[in-house]
Amino acid sequence: MEEKISLQELFKIMKKRLVLIISTFVLAVMITGVVSYFFLTPIYEASTQILINQKEIEQNQFNTLDIETNLQLINTYYVIIKSPVILSKVVDNLDLSTTPELLNKKIKVSSEQNSQVINVTVQDPDMNKAVDIANMTAEVFQEEIRTLMNVDNVNILSPAINTKNINPVFPKPILNMAIAAIIGLMLGVGITFLIEYLDTTVKTEQDVDELLELPILGLISPIPQKESKITREPKITKESKITEEPKITEESKITEEPKITKESKITEEPKITKEPRISKEPRVTKESKIIEERRSRRKPRR
């Protein structure tokens, strides 16, 4: 059975996992920013320009054939500039702690289309060293090309200059964070849909219809949380605690333990008082003896 998901359902799924998407987005931007600013080594760039021209002729004019020849020689000059013959002398002149092979990776040679100007670009963590390498490479190339190709058509057009407050060419934190934001957003959305796809629990009547392909006969309405808590767990409420445990209150203590009060002691122990002792154990007084004697005397006379 084919599953059809509308655009509204997609937005509902993303809204349900909105915290996950935002967390992935923020986490990707933060990690990229910290790595770009604190862990990556900044790389500076310096460049110099070399002009390739033709030797002066008698009329001091250039023809089109000479210009085409110079343009074809530029590709050859690319190889010569980055060759060990040039770079080894650059290393020796600057007393660099590197090899021509490693220096070759730092140098980039390029030119504009149909242009006789060659750009020599050097990248290095130290800006001063990058400027020195670029200028020295141009100077050594200008000197060596005379003996290598027996030509004198190379001039330094613009030497490299060390400017203050120059920004490194690598890394670019803002660009990296922008890319990380897009990737983090896509990753959060992807994880959201993956979780939704792997979630096979039945939650609605539509899920039952899709899984069993049977008609729905009835629904059980959900029980509110407040009512269910009162019916299922009445002992948790305050009223139930009062009814089930009345001995905790002060009134219950007074009713259940009356012997503690003074009145209860008087009522429950009457033997302590003087009156009941007189009634139960009466003492023989003089008057009672006289009355008994008189009664005894009267009886024989009759």
Side-chain angles (χ1 to χ4, degrees), residues 21-268:
I21 297 173
I22 295 175
S23 300
T24 308
F25 171 80
V26 174
L27 188 63
V29 174
M30 289 180 62
I31 293 175
T32 305
V34 171
V35 172
S36 299
Y37 280 106
F38 299 103
F39 291 96
L40 295 180
T41 303
I43 303 297
Y44 297 93
E45 186 178 85
S47 62
T48 183
Q49 291 181 335
I50 301 173
L51 177 62
I52 308 297
N53 54 17
Q54 182 67 26
K55 294 178 66 176
E56 294 183 358
I57 58 176
E58 295 179 357
Q59 292 83 7
N60 293 328
Q61 294 179 354
F62 294 100
N63 54 31
T64 56
L65 182 61
D66 294 333
I67 295 174
E68 290 179 357
T69 302
N70 291 332
L71 292 175
Q72 292 176 358
L73 288 174
I74 288 176
N75 293 328
T76 305
Y77 293 156
Y78 287 173
V79 179
I80 295 174
I81 290 173
K82 300 184 70 175
S83 65
V85 176
I86 304 297
L87 297 182
S88 60
K89 291 188 176 182
V90 173
V91 172
D92 294 336
N93 294 338
L94 296 177
D95 194 14
L96 300 175
S97 59
T98 183
T99 60
E101 290 77 10
L102 296 176
L103 184 60
N104 188 7
K105 297 178 181 180
K106 297 181 179 181
I107 298 175
K108 180 181 179 182
V109 181
S110 62
S111 65
E112 297 294 334
Q113 187 176 4
N114 298 327
S115 175
Q116 294 179 264
V117 178
I118 297 176
N119 297 320
V120 179
T121 304
V122 180
Q123 293 183 351
D124 194 85
D126 189 358
M127 183 63 189
N128 295 325
K129 187 182 290 187
V131 172
D132 294 338
I133 292 172
N135 291 330
M136 184 58 64
T137 303
E139 292 174 3
V140 172
F141 173 72
Q142 186 180 14
E143 294 174 358
E144 295 296 325
I145 198 66
R146 296 173 184 175
T147 58
L148 292 174
M149 298 187 67
N150 196 17
V151 292
D152 188 11
N153 59 350
V154 176
N155 294 320
I156 298 175
L157 183 63
S158 175
I161 300 174
N162 185 4
T163 58
K164 296 181 179 180
N165 298 325
I166 188 170
N167 295 324
V169 295
F170 177 84
K172 296 181 179 179
I174 297 176
L175 180 61
N176 294 341
M177 291 171 69
I179 296 173
I182 298 173
I183 295 174
L185 187 63
M186 295 174 62
L187 184 63
V189 174
I191 294 174
T192 299
F193 287 115
L194 179 62
I195 293 173
E196 191 68 22
Y197 177 76
L198 296 177
D199 188 7
T200 57
T201 57
V202 178
K203 297 179 180 179
T204 61
E205 61 272 11
Q206 294 178 356
D207 297 337
V208 177
D209 189 10
E210 292 176 358
L211 292 173
L212 301 179
E213 297 182 358
L214 296 174
I216 299 172
L217 300 178
L219 298 174
I220 300 174
S221 60
I223 301 173
Q225 294 182 357
K226 293 182 180 180
E227 295 181 0
S228 61
K229 287 181 179 180
I230 293 170
T231 55
R232 294 177 183 177
E233 299 178 357
K235 295 181 181 180
I236 298 173
T237 60
K238 295 180 179 180
E239 296 177 357
S240 61
K241 287 182 178 180
I242 293 169
T243 55
E244 290 177 0
E245 300 178 358
K247 294 180 181 180
I248 298 172
T249 60
E250 295 180 356
E251 296 178 357
S252 61
K253 288 181 179 181
I254 294 169
T255 55
E256 290 180 0
E257 299 178 358
K259 294 179 181 180
I260 298 171
T261 60
K262 295 180 180 181
E263 296 177 358
S264 60
K265 288 181 178 181
I266 295 168
T267 54
E268 291 179 0

